[in-house]
């Protein structure tokens, strides 16, 4: 081995990530090359220093009080403020999605002049999406499922009116998402439709997160 | 020097025993016990969040989210691992999830972009002769490299464990770790 060792090899050597034959060759080189030996030593010192960094750091003042306020300790309490004021964000999210849904519908219907729209009834699969969008959808699905589970566990803490508002907003959002996916299946290259699809998922996550937070605080 | 077989640094046995007892009480809804768990482990949670986020405000939010999540998921701690180890993993996952959420938000506005590391903080060039300490240098790493470096070299997770937590292939992890070490050596040499 006549060339200098690259950093990846030195890094893998530190982590015991080389096979026996490669390791032997690398160690022989280190024994005869001051430059590589020195770099290996420096990298090793860095790793040693990193492992010796303090395990703890001072916490910000009042952190526990803020955490305590967010803990759901069982039992449901009535809202201290009218639910209409608290669910303002929910209504706003719902309204935004009505607009988004209408936009998708307009795009879809506008692109189809030969018959009635069947957008909401046609389920599009992620296979119709670009890999990047499909990966995003997968992430959204994972997060959404978790939030839905958390919300289901705490739904009892919300008033029936709030629950109904959340469910209405979710239906609107899901319609918008479904329509965007159908439209994308027909026009996979559309940046506008892709943005609408992601915006729909984003709205759903935000809505669920907000509703879960409300349920936790009440 | 080898880090092979690195073990996540765990609390000493008496601390682990006390935490286990407190965790069992907290599982039954004892908030005072949970507060004592917080007092015991908050400094470590803070350190993980701060090193991974490299931003005080975000670290504060991440730490709070981690503690709230810990309370919500206490029933999933079965006592087969030390409470501190369980909490540690949960904290890392909470931070990584916040990273993924940020990537989604960024993807929303730059769908056509192909920059995978788009959320990384740029490495700002420091002035010549500006000697950085290791903590500050870690904070300047791009996020992907920083995450792997903190989890592997600071916290002692194995490649396979980090791969599970981050969803990255081990080859990618090794490359990110090497990148982090190289960048840190460069920054510390200035």
């Amino acid at each position: 081995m006549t060339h200098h060792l690259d950093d990846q090899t030195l890094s893998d050597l530190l982590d015991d990530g080389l096979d026996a034959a490669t390791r032997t060759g690398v160690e022989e080189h280190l024994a005869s090359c001051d430059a590589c030996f020195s770099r290996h030593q420096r990298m090793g010192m860095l790793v040693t220093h990193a492992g010796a960094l303090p395990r703890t750091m001072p916490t910000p003042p009042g952190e526990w009080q803020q955490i305590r306020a967010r803990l759901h300790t069982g039992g449901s309490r009535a809202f201290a403020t009218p639910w209409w004021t608290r669910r303002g964000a929910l209504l706003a999210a719902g309204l935004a999605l009505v607009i988004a849904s209408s936009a998708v519908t307009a795009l879809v219907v506008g692109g189809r002049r030969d018959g009635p729209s069947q957008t909401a009834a046609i389920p599009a699969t992620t296979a119709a999406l670009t890999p990047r969008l499909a990966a995003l959808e997968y992430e959204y699905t994972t997060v959404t499922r978790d939030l839905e589970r958390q919300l289901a566990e705490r739904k009892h803490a919300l008033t029936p009116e709030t629950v109904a508002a959340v469910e209405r907003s979710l239906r609107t959002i899901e319609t918008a998402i479904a329509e965007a996916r159908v439209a994308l299946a027909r026009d996979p290259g559309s940046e506008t439709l892709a943005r609408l699809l992601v915006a729909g998922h984003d709205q759903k996550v935000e809505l669920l997160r907000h509703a879960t937070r409300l349920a936790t605080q009440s | 020097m080898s880090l092979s077989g690195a073990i996540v640094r765990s609390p000493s046995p008496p601390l682990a025993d006390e935490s286990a007892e407190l965790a069992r009480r907290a599982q039954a809804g004892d908030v005072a016990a949970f507060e004592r768990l917080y007092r015991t482990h908050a400094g470590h949670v803070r350190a993980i969040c701060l090193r991974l986020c490299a931003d005080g405000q975000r670290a504060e939010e991440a730490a709070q989210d981690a503690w709230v999540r810990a309370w919500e998921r206490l029933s999933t701690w079965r006592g087969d691992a030390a409470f501190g180890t369980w909490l540690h993993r949960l904290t890392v996952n909470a931070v990584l999830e916040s990273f993924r959420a940020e990537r989604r938000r960024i993807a929303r506005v730059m769908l056509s972009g192909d920059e995978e590391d788009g959320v990384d903080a740029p490495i700002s060039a420091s002035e010549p002769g500006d000697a950085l300490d290791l903590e500050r240098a870690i904070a300047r790493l791009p996020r992907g490299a920083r995450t792997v470096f903190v989890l592997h070299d600071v916290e002692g997770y194995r490649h396979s464990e980090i791969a599970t937590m981050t969803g990255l292939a081990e080859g990618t992890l090794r490359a990110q770790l090497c990148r982090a070490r190289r960048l840190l050596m460069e920054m510390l040499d200035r």
Side-chain angles (χ1 to χ4, degrees):
Chain A
M1 195 176 294
T2 53
H3 300 297
H4 287 308
L5 299 169
D6 60 35
D7 284 338
Q8 187 67 61
T9 301
L10 294 176
S11 184
D12 287 344
L13 179 65
L14 283 174
D15 299 339
D16 272 354
L18 300 176
D19 61 64
T22 308
R23 184 186 180 93
T24 301
V26 167
E27 286 175 343
E28 284 172 2
H29 177 84
L30 288 177
S32 61
C33 177
D34 289 344
C36 289
F37 179 78
S38 170
R39 189 154 182 84
H40 180 242
Q41 289 288 95
R42 284 172 54 219
M43 196 180 278
M45 282 178 62
L46 170 70
V47 171
T48 302
H49 287 154
L53 286 173
R55 263 176 78 73
T56 65
M57 290 184 184
T59 56
E63 185 178 66
W64 168 250
Q65 284 70 26
Q66 290 177 310
I67 292 165
R68 176 68 184 85
R70 290 175 59 188
L71 300 184
H72 178 63
T73 53
S76 60
R77 291 182 287 112
F79 283 125
T81 54
W83 67 271
W84 282 103
T85 59
R86 286 175 176 255
R87 70 170 192 169
L90 302 183
L91 295 174
L95 182 61
L97 262 295
V98 167
I99 295 167
S101 175
S102 302
V104 174
T105 303
L107 280 165
V108 172
V109 173
R112 296 174 70 250
R113 302 170 193 278
D114 55 345
S117 170
Q118 301 171 13
T119 50
I122 303 171
T125 64
T126 49
L129 304 175
T130 63
R132 184 176 174 81
L133 269 179
L136 271 173
E137 280 230 295
Y138 178 77
E139 282 200 22
Y140 274 115
T141 305
T142 306
V143 174
T144 300
R145 198 176 296 141
D146 192 40
L147 286 168
E148 284 173 337
R149 183 189 54 73
Q150 290 180 44
L151 183 58
E153 287 171 0
R154 299 171 189 153
K155 210 160 77 171
H156 64 275
L158 297 171
T159 63
E161 293 91 339
T162 304
V163 172
V166 171
E167 288 175 348
R168 270 199 308 275
S169 297
L170 278 175
R171 278 196 298 274
T172 305
I173 292 169
E174 282 160 0
T175 300
I177 291 172
E179 289 179 350
R181 295 169 93 235
V182 170
L184 267 170
R186 291 179 180 139
D187 185 8
S190 170
E191 181 81 2
T192 305
L193 289 171
R195 285 175 188 276
L196 281 170
L197 177 67
V198 175
H201 279 299
D202 213 38
Q203 288 276 11
K204 187 173 179 181
V205 168
E206 288 306 313
L207 175 63
L208 285 167
R209 202 168 266 161
H210 185 73
T212 306
R213 204 177 301 130
L214 280 185
T216 304
Q217 290 168 350
S218 50
Chain B
M1 183 188 308
S2 168
L3 275 192
S4 177
I7 296 169
V8 176
R9 291 178 285 177
S10 54
S12 57
L15 181 59
D17 289 346
E18 187 188 349
S19 290
E21 175 55 27
L22 290 169
R24 277 187 275 275
R25 284 167 47 194
Q27 281 179 324
D30 185 339
V31 179
F34 190 67
E35 181 177 359
R36 285 183 59 192
L37 285 171
Y38 168 81
R39 303 286 173 207
T40 304
H41 297 280
H44 191 196
V45 169
R46 167 75 174 168
I48 296 167
C49 292
L50 199 53
R51 286 188 180 123
L52 287 176
C53 295
D55 176 279
Q57 180 63 36
R58 291 197 57 178
E60 200 170 327
E61 291 169 6
Q64 286 191 26
D65 288 347
W67 281 105
V68 172
R69 185 181 293 198
W71 172 257
E72 292 168 348
R73 299 185 182 178
L74 266 174
S75 61
T76 66
W77 178 72
R78 308 243 179 250
D80 42 1
F83 176 80
T85 305
W86 176 84
L87 176 68
H88 189 284
R89 178 69 65 96
L90 181 144
T91 301
V92 171
N93 285 336
V95 174
L96 295 179
E97 188 180 299
S98 77
F99 289 170
R100 285 191 283 268
E102 185 179 345
R103 277 203 300 273
R104 285 194 299 271
R105 283 194 295 275
I106 287 173
R108 187 182 56 184
V109 295
M110 44 186 305
L111 271 172
S112 56
D114 57 2
E115 183 57 46
E116 198 62 34
D117 253 359
V119 292
D120 282 351
I123 303 172
S124 52
S126 59
E127 296 76 22
D130 180 15
L132 294 171
D133 65 23
L134 183 53
E135 292 279 17
R136 288 173 60 204
I138 292 171
R140 288 188 176 199
L141 287 173
R143 179 183 289 171
R146 185 174 68 243
T147 298
V148 176
F149 182 82
V150 169
L151 293 180
H152 188 276
D153 284 0
V154 180
E155 296 295 340
Y157 282 105
R158 293 179 175 87
H159 285 299
S160 57
E161 294 172 310
I162 301 170
T164 302
M165 288 189 280
T166 59
L168 295 174
E170 288 196 32
T172 307
L173 291 179
R174 284 200 301 276
Q176 289 279 33
L177 187 56
C178 173
R179 182 188 182 200
R181 289 169 175 171
R182 178 171 46 76
L183 288 170
L184 286 171
M185 286 196 294
E186 287 171 8
M187 284 190 266
L188 294 168
D189 279 350
R190 283 174 185 155

